[in-house]
């Protein structure tokens, strides 16, 4: 027991306190994820779209914002739909005037998904208050703290990516 206490002290605290903090952190991450999902659902309602269509539209907008526009295949992976279901979804978004498909690559077979000029201002109007409030909340932290958060979230994401690619690739944990 003394060895466990000494290890806990070296790692920053007692075992039960650490477990409680981890539980609270996981609860916070789940709640944040649920809230983000709710924002996307409300965006869908606001635009008169199905939630899956809105989630796809958000992915297309985000990819554009980061300078890495999506192909239909990459969108299919991001929203966890088959290529056929993604094609139908893209047709709906295109017919609604929310996206355009372009051929920007030298390989003319490659399709790039872009938001339409009409949807960007609407998305900015909807997500603007969210972005402002998130920036305000994060401004309470130093650049070094933000870097630690980025590292932490990056590690959680790579852990989740590995789990999904390995143990859960067939829908659940390996037997």
């Amino acid at each position: 027991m003394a060895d466990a206490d000494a290890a806990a002290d070296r790692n920053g605290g007692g075992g039960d306190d650490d477990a409680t903090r981890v539980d609270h952190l996981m609860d916070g991450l789940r709640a944040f994820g649920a809230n983000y999902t709710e924002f996307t659902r409300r965006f869908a309602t606001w635009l008169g779209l199905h939630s899956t269509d809105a989630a796809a539209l958000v992915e297309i907008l985000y990819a554009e914002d980061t300078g890495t526009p999506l192909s239909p295949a990459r969108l299919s992976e991001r929203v966890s739909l088959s290529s056929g279901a993604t094609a139908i979804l893209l047709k709906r978004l295109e017919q609604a005037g929310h996206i355009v498909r372009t051929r920007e690559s030298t390989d003319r077979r490659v399709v790039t998904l872009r938001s339409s000029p009409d949807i960007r201002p609407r998305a900015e109007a909807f997500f603007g208050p969210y972005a402002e409030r998130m920036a305000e909340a994060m401004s309470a932290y130093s650049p070094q703290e933000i870097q630690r958060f980025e590292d932490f979230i990056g590690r959680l994401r790579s852990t989740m990516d590995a789990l999904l690619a390995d143990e859960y690739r067939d829908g659940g944990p390996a037997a």
Side-chain angles (χ1 to χ4, degrees), residues 32 35-36 39 126-135:
F32 182 84
N35 284 346
Y36 190 83
F39 262 92
F126 186 88
F127 286 104
Y130 168 85
E132 290 170 17
R133 294 276 182 95
M134 290 295 119

Side-chain angles (χ1 to χ4, degrees), residues 75-117:
L75 176 65
S76 178
E77 293 170 7
R78 297 292 307 143
V79 295
S80 300
L81 291 176
S82 68
S83 59
T86 301
I88 293 166
L89 176 149
L90 290 173
K91 185 176 182 180
R92 283 194 307 265
L93 289 176
E94 198 169 35
Q95 287 175 338
H98 298 319
I99 67 158
V100 292
R101 300 180 218 209
T102 63
R103 297 191 187 276
E104 302 167 15
S105 173
T106 54
D107 181 347
R108 301 303 291 163
R109 294 172 295 176
V110 176
V111 173
T112 302
L113 303 172
R114 296 277 183 185
S115 61
S116 70

Side-chain angles (χ1 to χ4, degrees), residues 7-171:
D9 288 341
R10 284 192 304 272
N11 292 327
D16 288 342
D17 289 342
D18 287 346
T20 299
R21 277 195 295 274
V22 167
D23 286 346
H24 286 177
L25 181 59
M26 291 301 293
D27 287 344
L29 289 169
R30 277 190 291 276
F32 182 84
N35 284 346
Y36 190 83
T37 299
E38 180 62 13
F39 262 92
T40 303
R41 189 193 66 74
R42 290 185 187 194
F43 181 57
T45 300
W46 192 65
L47 291 175
L49 296 174
H50 185 278
S51 60
T52 305
D53 292 10
L57 183 55
V58 166
E59 289 293 334
I60 292 166
L61 289 160
Y62 177 74
E64 283 182 311
D65 288 346
T66 61
T68 55
L70 296 175
S71 67
R74 183 71 181 122
L75 176 65
S76 178
E77 293 170 7
R78 297 292 307 143
V79 295
S80 300
L81 291 176
S82 68
S83 59
T86 301
I88 293 166
L89 176 149
L90 290 173
K91 185 176 182 180
R92 283 194 307 265
L93 289 176
E94 198 169 35
Q95 287 175 338
H98 298 319
I99 67 158
V100 292
R101 300 180 218 209
T102 63
R103 297 191 187 276
E104 302 167 15
S105 173
T106 54
D107 181 347
R108 301 303 291 163
R109 294 172 295 176
V110 176
V111 173
T112 302
L113 303 172
R114 296 277 183 185
S115 61
S116 70
D118 295 337
I119 198 63
R120 175 136 320 257
R122 294 179 73 193
E124 288 171 355
F126 186 88
F127 286 104
Y130 168 85
E132 290 170 17
R133 294 276 182 95
M134 290 295 119
E136 181 182 318
M138 287 185 253
S139 72
Y141 298 93
S142 72
Q144 295 82 10
E145 289 173 308
I146 296 293
Q147 181 61 55
R148 289 201 65 199
F149 296 150
E150 285 179 32
D151 294 345
F152 174 70
I153 294 296
R155 183 171 289 193
L156 290 180
R157 182 177 176 187
S158 64
T159 299
M160 185 69 79
D161 288 346
L163 279 166
L164 291 170
D166 298 330
E167 288 96 327
Y168 291 79
R169 80 176 155 269
D170 295 324

